[in-house]
Structures are given as structure tokens and as C-alpha cells.
Amino acid sequence: MAADLSTTSYALLGLLALDPDDPAEGLTGYELKQRCDFTMRYYWVSPATSQIYTELARLDRLGLVDVTEEGTGRRSTRRYALSDAGRERLLTWLTTSEPDFPVLKHPVALRLMFGHMVEPEQVERWLATYIAQLEERTTELRAVREMLGDDARLRSPARVAEWGLAYFASERAISEDLRKQVADGDGGPVT
Amino acid sequence: MAADLSTTSYALLGLLALDPDDPAEGLTGYELKQRCDFTMRYYWVSPATSQIYTELARLDRLGLVDVTEEGTGRRSTRRYALSDAGRERLLTWLTTSEPDFPVLKHPVALRLMFGHMVEPEQVERWLATYIAQLEERTTELRAVREMLGDDARLRSPARVAEWGLAYFASERAISEDLRKQVADGDGGPVT
DNA sequence: ACAGCCATGTAACTCGTTACATGATTAC
DNA sequence: GTAATCATGTAACGAGTTACATGGCTGT
């Protein structure tokens, strides 16, 4: 019993806890995936659709979610809502577990590490592309932030969105600085 | 042939390419693990020791590394160096692959998302611990940066270390800001 | 009639981890 | 002699991915 859940499981429980469509109707796996894409991916991950369903089945087996089945036709639609046990479990995790230090997988920084092997133009391309992607993500996340508004119940997610925006801004500044360094001839392959 | 390698494989090839002990003696799996711990973990990952050996065996099978076996006693010590094919393969990857957008797994930000469920003191504890960890990491990374010095051949890794330091500084600033917000009563559980 | 979104799931596989097993060399 | 460090690997497992399969509902 109480087999330990992965952090992703807790993240899903958390999303269910945040469900704003109050009257405990719950969310479908499909909707959950959308919410992951919408916010969670910025500072955790957005699990594959198939994993969401697998995870929901597990949470159901453990009694941490309440399932409502709407049998429309031959195929059913399941809505998942946080159960009392689920809420308690989430709360226990929040109050007793020690958060690990963040893990960053940064393919641009990794490549930059070997920048001495390629032309400086290549390094500039990496950085330029990254900066463009940062701009896109920033626009998206800004929209998320705005959608969260000033609702007191959504203050925490809103704060996290702001954290993300600050992070993107910092990444942008660093990347632009590096780009300038490289453009100023301070790089290139060492033969 | 040319089965695609994982990014971690390329990262290891890259570390071999950076090997400063010039005369192509190469590195042992053990040493490689130390170098991963030393720098790569800050912006990629430090694979488990067992994975390093598995990966090295694969790279050997593919002819991307040259292996020198020193049979001291019953047990051997293997030194791995980048082969010509390996260098070419790494270069191809650097010049033709598109870096993915970074993935951040941020357990503190994730928990903060659900901060409305717990006491503000809990949120402050998360942030305080994170800030303390950031300080430690900053000290460590600063040492790495200094060790890399001004050697032209190590300019790229040095730049990445500086990137990491800027990132830590930004995280610290954001965390401290959030901590202040929470301390100013702008939080707490919404019952 | 067909495209596109809503919705759920299985199977095969990869990557990476932890736990375990082993043994040589160096420092005290 | 014994603890720490150097050094190499196997086995079992878990978390997550991609590819695939299925089918209803909605708008044009």
C-alpha cells in the first residue's frame, strides 16, 4: 500500500486539485493533456498522452481519483476528479517531501560546450535560433499568465508563470550576450 | 549502420574531444564520470556510472572510440580516446542537428504551483532551501569556471560555465523575490 | 463526404536508474 | 591490516516515448 508515486503522478493530482470547473465534474485525460501542454511543460514536462491515461488508471486503482463514466455510445468518456484520499496524499507529499534540485537539459548549452570545433557562424546560428524560440515561448507564457488573471485561487500558478517569464528573460539576456561575444570574433574553431 | 546516437552519447564524445591530456591517451570510464559530475551535470545530466560503461561499449562497437587496454593484473583498465570516425560523427551532429528547446524539471516551481494548498511557511521553506542549494552550486561552478582559466582551447566550456553562473544568479533573484512576496502575506492556503 | 478535433488505449522499445558484485591500488 | 579511492561491469526495473489502432462528434 501507498506505493510511492512518481513526481509526474503528483503533478497530475495537483492539476486536478487546481481544476477551476468547481463542481467536481473532473477532467478527461484529453483535457489533462492540454493543461500539461498549457502550463506544466514550462517547468516540469508534458507527458505523452498515452502516459497520462496509464497514470490515470494507476491513480484510479489507488483510489486517489474519483471516476465518472459517461457512456456516450459504444465508447465511454471518463472524467477524473481528485478524491479525498487523493487530496490528502497530495498534501502529504507537499508537506513532507524535499524538492530535488532542478534538472536542466540544455541542448544549446551542451553544443556550445564544443563550440571550438565548429565555425563561429554555427554557434551564432544556434544562439539565434534559441533566441527566436525563447521569444515564441515568452509570448505563449505571457498569454498563460494573463489567462490566470488575479483570481486568488490561481495566485500560485500565476506566480509560477511569472517565474517562467523571468527565466526566459534571463536566458534571452545571456544568449544575446554570448552571441555578441562570438560575433566579436572571440570564438571559432581551434585547429 | 550509423544507428542514431542519443544526445548523451554525443556528450560523451564531446568530453573525449575536450580531453586536455593531449597525447591521445584517452580517459577511463571512471574519469569520464568525474568530468560529467564536474561540468556536464549543470546543463545536461551526469549519467550513472553504469551507463557510462554501457555507452562506451556501444561507442567502441561503432568504432567511434579507440580503446587502449592496460592489463594490470587480472583486471584491465581501458582508456578511451576519440577516433577519427568519432570526431567526424560528432562534427556532423554539431553541424547538422537542430538543438531542441531546453527541458527544465523544476521540483520547486512545480510545488509552488500548488502553494495555495499549504501554509505560507511551507512555501518559504521550499524557497529558502532552494536558495541555499543555489549558493552551494554557485560556489562549485565558480570553482569550475576558475579551473578552466583563459586557455583558448577551453574558451567554449568556460563560456558555458559562465552561462550557468548567470542562470543561477537569475534563479536566486527570482526566488528571493518570490520569498519576499510570500513573506508579505501575499499567499497562504485558500480554504 | 471528408477533415479535424475529441477521446482512449495497447505494444514495443529506449534511456537511464538503483542495487549488486568484483577486484586492484594507495594512504594511513 | 584496513579504509578509501580507482575501476569495471551485470541484472532488474521504472519512467517515459513513439507508433499504432480505434471510434465518436462537429462543421463545411
Side-chain angles (χ1 to χ4, degrees):
Chain A
M1 193 175 270
D4 242 31
L5 299 176
S6 66
T7 303
T8 298
S9 299
Y10 286 112
L12 290 180
L13 287 180
L15 280 185
L16 290 178
L18 283 176
D19 182 17
D21 303 339
D22 248 30
E25 275 251 62
L27 299 170
T28 67
Y30 189 86
E31 287 166 345
L32 222 32
K33 167 64 177 166
Q34 288 179 318
R35 304 213 176 180
C36 288
D37 283 344
F38 192 61
T39 50
M40 228 174 68
R41 68 165 161 144
Y42 292 105
Y43 49 84
W44 190 246
V45 286
S46 190
T49 304
S50 64
Q51 202 200 342
I52 301 232
Y53 288 108
T54 309
E55 216 51 76
L56 284 173
R58 187 213 312 280
L59 294 175
D60 183 20
R61 262 199 324 278
L62 294 170
L64 304 177
V65 289
D66 291 326
V67 191
T68 318
E69 197 153 351
E70 289 161 21
T72 31
R74 219 160 313 179
R75 207 173 174 94
S76 58
T77 294
R78 293 197 172 88
R79 303 206 150 264
Y80 297 84
L82 198 60
S83 72
D84 289 342
R87 180 172 300 272
E88 210 178 305
R89 188 70 176 270
L90 176 58
L91 221 53
T92 302
W93 177 70
L94 286 173
T95 50
T96 64
S97 72
E98 286 294 318
D100 286 332
F101 194 80
V103 170
L104 184 59
K105 287 196 168 198
H106 204 313
V108 183
L110 179 64
R111 278 169 181 78
L112 196 62
M113 180 107 181
F114 314 123
H116 65 288
M117 297 181 72
V118 300
E119 301 296 324
E121 288 75 25
Q122 178 69 70
V123 177
E124 278 197 80
R125 261 197 303 281
W126 291 335
L127 291 169
T129 306
Y130 181 46
I131 290 167
Q133 288 172 338
L134 277 170
E135 264 172 68
E136 273 177 58
R137 299 281 178 131
T138 300
T139 306
E140 287 164 22
L141 190 49
R142 201 130 53 195
V144 171
R145 173 63 193 94
E146 265 154 39
M147 210 156 301
L148 290 171
D150 287 332
D151 188 342
R153 283 179 336 166
L154 296 177
R155 208 188 289 124
S156 298
R159 270 207 266 260
V160 177
E162 279 164 22
W163 185 331
L165 287 169
Y167 165 60
F168 284 165
S170 137
E171 280 292 282
R172 189 183 171 141
I174 305 167
S175 304
E176 240 143 31
D177 189 56
L178 280 169
R179 197 186 184 180
K180 221 163 282 168
Q181 279 181 42
V182 175
D184 291 353
D186 187 18
V190 175
T191 318
Chain B
M1 196 175 267
D4 243 31
L5 299 177
S6 67
T7 303
T8 299
S9 300
Y10 286 113
L12 290 180
L13 287 181
L15 282 184
L16 291 178
L18 283 176
D19 181 17
D21 303 338
D22 249 30
E25 275 251 62
L27 300 170
T28 67
Y30 188 87
E31 286 165 345
L32 222 32
K33 168 63 176 165
Q34 288 178 319
R35 304 214 176 181
C36 287
D37 283 344
F38 191 61
T39 51
M40 229 174 67
R41 68 166 163 144
Y42 292 104
Y43 49 84
W44 192 247
V45 285
S46 191
T49 305
S50 65
Q51 202 199 343
I52 302 229
Y53 287 108
T54 308
E55 215 52 77
L56 284 173
R58 188 214 308 284
L59 294 175
D60 183 22
R61 263 198 323 277
L62 293 169
L64 303 177
V65 289
D66 290 326
V67 191
T68 319
E69 197 155 350
E70 288 161 22
T72 32
R74 219 161 313 179
R75 207 175 175 92
S76 58
T77 294
R78 292 197 172 88
R79 304 207 148 264
Y80 296 85
L82 198 60
S83 72
D84 289 341
R87 179 172 298 272
E88 211 178 304
R89 189 70 175 270
L90 176 58
L91 220 54
T92 302
W93 177 71
L94 286 172
T95 50
T96 64
S97 72
E98 286 294 318
D100 286 332
F101 194 80
V103 171
L104 184 59
K105 288 197 168 197
H106 204 311
V108 183
L110 179 64
R111 279 169 179 78
L112 196 63
M113 181 104 180
F114 314 123
H116 65 289
M117 297 181 71
V118 299
E119 302 296 326
E121 287 74 25
Q122 177 70 69
V123 177
E124 277 196 80
R125 262 197 302 279
W126 290 335
L127 291 169
T129 306
Y130 181 46
I131 290 167
Q133 287 171 339
L134 276 170
E135 264 171 68
E136 272 177 59
R137 299 282 178 130
T138 300
T139 305
E140 286 163 23
L141 189 49
R142 201 130 51 196
V144 171
R145 173 63 193 93
E146 266 154 38
M147 211 156 299
L148 290 170
D150 287 333
D151 188 341
R153 282 179 337 166
L154 295 177
R155 206 189 288 123
S156 299
R159 270 208 265 261
V160 177
E162 278 163 23
W163 185 331
L165 287 169
Y167 165 59
F168 284 164
S170 139
E171 281 291 283
R172 188 181 173 146
I174 305 167
S175 304
E176 241 143 30
D177 189 55
L178 280 169
R179 196 185 184 181
K180 221 163 285 169
Q181 279 182 42
V182 175
D184 290 353
D186 187 18
V190 175
T191 321

